[in-house]
Amino acid sequence: MGRCFSISPVLLFLLFTFSPPYALSLPIHEQGNEQHPDNNVQSIDMDPVETETLFKIMETMSSDRNWRVSNPHPCKPGSSWPGIECKTGEHNRLYVSRLDFGTPPNPTCKATATFPSEIFDLPYLQSVFFFHCFYHTRTTISLPQHSISTSSLQQLSLRSNPALVGPIPPQLSALKSLQVLTLTQNHLVGGIPEEIFTLTSLIHLDLSYNFLTGTIPNLLGSLKNIEGLDLSYNLLTGPIPDRIGQLGLLQKLDLSSNLLTGGIPDSIENLNFLVFLALSNNRLTGKFPEGLAKLESLEYFIMDDNPMFVPLPHELGRLVKLQELRLANSGYSGNIPQSFSQLLNLSTLSLQNNRLIGEIPVGLTGLSHIYHLNLSRNKLSGVVPFDPLFLKRLGRNLDLSGNPGLCLDKSEAYVRENIGLNVCGSNRSDSLVQPLKAEASSEFCISIYLLDVLCLWALYQLLL
């Protein structure tokens, strides 16, 4: 399918193979496999029905051992299974509250493992994690025939399972206690079920790195408690819903690497707690929202590779908490706004491969935290305003190449010899002449020395 701009993988940190650039205040933490056994657990038995259900799950998932023989009492203190947590529940019995599969010391998954729908029959199970479990035998997220509305599940995570295929079942919406739903780096297809957005307890929703299609449902505005929403690296089309502005607690929004069209909705100005915004590698166009400057908490704004073709808005300079601003490969025109000099917390500014003109704002020299600056492949002109200390500090992290109208002051020409620019008042052949001449002189001296040695050797042979 055609696209004005090439799609390149981004961070990503963005995105979700790594931890986000800020900490979500979630009551349940997906990262880490530390066990936190209940200090009040007594040496009491499990419900026999739950014990049998647990054995079936383990036999479906893992062949590390014969679980029935080696650990007949899964929750018994002192002999509990790895990757399992238990707590005391009804009738003073022990119940499974957490299961982890895929990474040692937790049980590893066998090649024939398939998704165990029995997990929804564990009434006290709150968290379950499947990491790189379904990689050989194709399987789907299957649910039992009976209702799962009695489930206590708060966190469901299926990550890096290339054989996990099929659609996201809308029946997951029956998990009314669910706070974290992570279905990333799988092979899920189809649309995002609207029913998912009725899970009003959700704090974090990650459906990234799948093959999901269709539009983003308007019902996403119902997720009043959502703090992190990641739908990146799918095949989603259509506009960003205007109801995105109703997610008043949202801290992270990643919609990058899809096929989204239209503009950034004006309602985005209502996201007062937004820290991370990634919209890169889409087909977004048009002007920025007038209320963009109201995103006072924004620290990361990543919007490379969109056919915007508008001037850079000066309002971006009012986002004083920005640490990364990436707007490359998007056809931006006009001057670099002087207001960018007010972004004193900025560490990365990427504006390469646009249509920017005019001089580089002198105020950018005062950005003391910046370590990566790319203004290459534009139509900038004039004298580079950066002093020798600035040029030396950034080193190879500064790229100004591909701007024929830019030139270096003579006093700075030797600080950054490979900057790719002419010295002001010189043609290209003269711009970095002295270092090249020095190299040539050195080679010439070596040649003369070798010639002298050969002459002495020849003279020595004649004298013999």
Side-chain angles (χ1 to χ4, degrees):
M1 74 188 59
R3 189 188 277 233
C4 294
F5 296 87
S6 61
I7 296 179
S8 58
V10 178
L11 353 93
L12 263 284
F13 108 191
L14 227 232
L15 322 142
F16 282 86
T17 54
F18 64 93
S19 299
Y22 65 95
L24 284 176
S25 301
L26 300 179
I28 300 173
H29 299 281
E30 180 177 351
Q31 300 296 327
N33 295 314
E34 298 88 349
Q35 303 297 313
H36 304 284
D38 192 329
N39 293 329
N40 296 320
V41 168
Q42 305 292 324
S43 296
I44 49 183
D45 293 331
M46 292 178 63
D47 183 300
V49 175
E50 179 161 338
T51 303
E52 181 61 27
T53 300
L54 185 58
F55 282 137
K56 289 180 180 178
I57 293 172
M58 299 307 293
E59 289 166 356
T60 300
M61 293 299 304
S62 177
S63 57
D64 289 351
R65 66 182 75 171
N66 186 329
W67 298 94
R68 291 179 185 269
V69 175
S70 62
N71 297 80
H73 304 289
C75 286
K76 186 177 181 179
S79 63
S80 62
W81 294 358
I84 188 173
E85 292 181 18
C86 304
K87 69 177 184 179
T88 307
E90 193 176 27
H91 305 304
N92 203 32
R93 289 185 180 275
L94 287 172
Y95 293 89
V96 178
S97 60
R98 172 170 172 153
L99 288 173
D100 287 83
F101 295 97
T103 55
N106 301 317
T108 58
C109 303
K110 59 184 180 181
T112 57
T114 55
F115 182 82
S117 61
E118 293 86 356
I119 62 171
F120 300 110
D121 295 328
L122 298 174
Y124 287 85
L125 185 64
Q126 294 181 332
S127 304
V128 61
F129 302 85
F130 300 94
F131 176 74
H132 196 60
C133 277
F134 313 116
Y135 55 90
H136 187 270
T137 303
R138 288 165 64 91
T139 186
T140 61
I141 302 175
S142 57
L143 285 82
Q145 295 295 325
H146 56 271
S147 173
I148 61 173
S149 59
T150 58
S151 172
S152 302
L153 202 61
Q154 297 179 23
Q155 185 159 4
L156 174 60
S157 175
L158 293 108
R159 182 186 294 270
S160 294
N161 298 287
L164 184 64
V165 300
I168 299 172
Q171 294 87 344
L172 288 176
S173 61
L175 300 171
K176 298 303 182 184
S177 299
L178 203 61
Q179 297 180 24
V180 178
L181 178 59
T182 301
L183 305 176
T184 183
Q185 299 170 19
N186 301 302
H187 209 290
L188 301 175
V189 298
I192 302 175
E194 289 189 349
E195 292 85 350
I196 295 296
F197 298 104
T198 65
L199 292 169
T200 55
S201 296
L202 274 181
I203 295 174
H204 184 76
L205 176 62
D206 184 356
L207 307 179
S208 63
Y209 289 91
N210 283 289
F211 296 87
L212 302 176
T213 55
T215 60
I216 302 174
N218 279 318
L219 277 177
L220 94 165
S222 302
L223 300 178
K224 302 298 184 182
N225 295 303
I226 199 79
E227 296 179 7
L229 177 61
D230 192 344
L231 307 178
S232 63
Y233 287 90
N234 281 291
L235 302 170
L236 300 174
T237 56
I240 300 172
D242 188 63
R243 291 188 66 186
I244 196 84
Q246 297 178 11
L247 308 181
L249 299 179
L250 196 64
Q251 298 178 28
K252 174 183 178 179
L253 176 61
D254 193 345
L255 304 178
S256 58
S257 295
N258 280 288
L259 303 171
L260 301 176
T261 55
I264 303 174
D266 292 335
S267 64
I268 204 168
E269 68 180 42
N270 299 321
L271 304 181
N272 298 324
F273 296 102
L274 195 65
V275 175
F276 181 94
L277 176 60
L279 304 173
S280 58
N281 293 324
N282 279 291
R283 297 176 175 178
L284 300 175
T285 58
K287 296 181 179 180
F288 286 85
E290 292 183 2
L292 186 67
K294 295 182 180 180
L295 300 177
E296 296 179 352
S297 300
L298 197 63
E299 297 180 12
Y300 300 85
F301 187 19
I302 302 170
M303 199 176 165
D304 304 308
D305 298 287
N306 282 284
M308 296 295 288
F309 296 105
V310 294
L312 289 173
H314 66 86
E315 289 86 359
L316 286 172
R318 294 168 59 185
L319 301 175
V320 294
K321 290 187 177 181
L322 273 183
Q323 296 182 33
E324 288 194 19
L325 179 58
R326 299 178 182 268
L327 301 171
N329 309 317
S330 298
Y332 292 110
S333 58
N335 298 85
I336 299 175
Q338 294 287 341
S339 62
F340 281 20
S341 303
Q342 301 171 20
L343 301 174
L344 299 181
N345 291 303
L346 206 62
S347 62
T348 297
L349 177 59
S350 297
L351 301 176
Q352 69 269 24
N353 200 22
N354 284 298
R355 301 178 177 183
L356 301 174
I357 61 173
E359 297 183 349
I360 299 174
V362 177
L364 295 186
T365 306
L367 301 180
S368 58
H369 294 289
I370 202 162
Y371 73 92
H372 183 275
L373 176 60
N374 194 337
L375 305 178
S376 64
R377 301 190 301 281
N378 280 288
K379 299 179 180 180
L380 300 173
S381 59
V383 180
V384 173
F386 307 133
D387 56 44
L389 289 177
F390 185 95
L391 295 172
K392 185 176 181 180
R393 176 163 61 86
L394 267 69
R396 294 185 178 275
N397 290 325
L398 172 65
D399 192 348
L400 305 177
S401 62
N403 290 284
L406 276 181
C407 63
L408 280 171
D409 186 87
K410 292 182 179 179
S411 63
E412 300 168 354
Y414 305 102
V415 177
R416 182 76 168 92
E417 296 176 356
N418 298 317
I419 203 168
L421 297 178
N422 293 335
V423 175
C424 297
S426 305
N427 58 37
R428 180 165 295 277
S429 61
D430 295 331
S431 61
L432 295 175
V433 165
Q434 290 204 8
L436 296 176
K437 281 186 175 181
E439 182 179 350
S441 299
S442 176
E443 293 176 355
F444 179 75
C445 292
I446 292 173
S447 300
I448 294 296
Y449 173 78
L450 292 175
L451 182 61
D452 288 343
V453 171
L454 288 173
C455 290
L456 287 174
W457 182 82
L459 181 60
Y460 175 78
Q461 293 296 322
L462 289 173
L463 291 175
L464 289 178

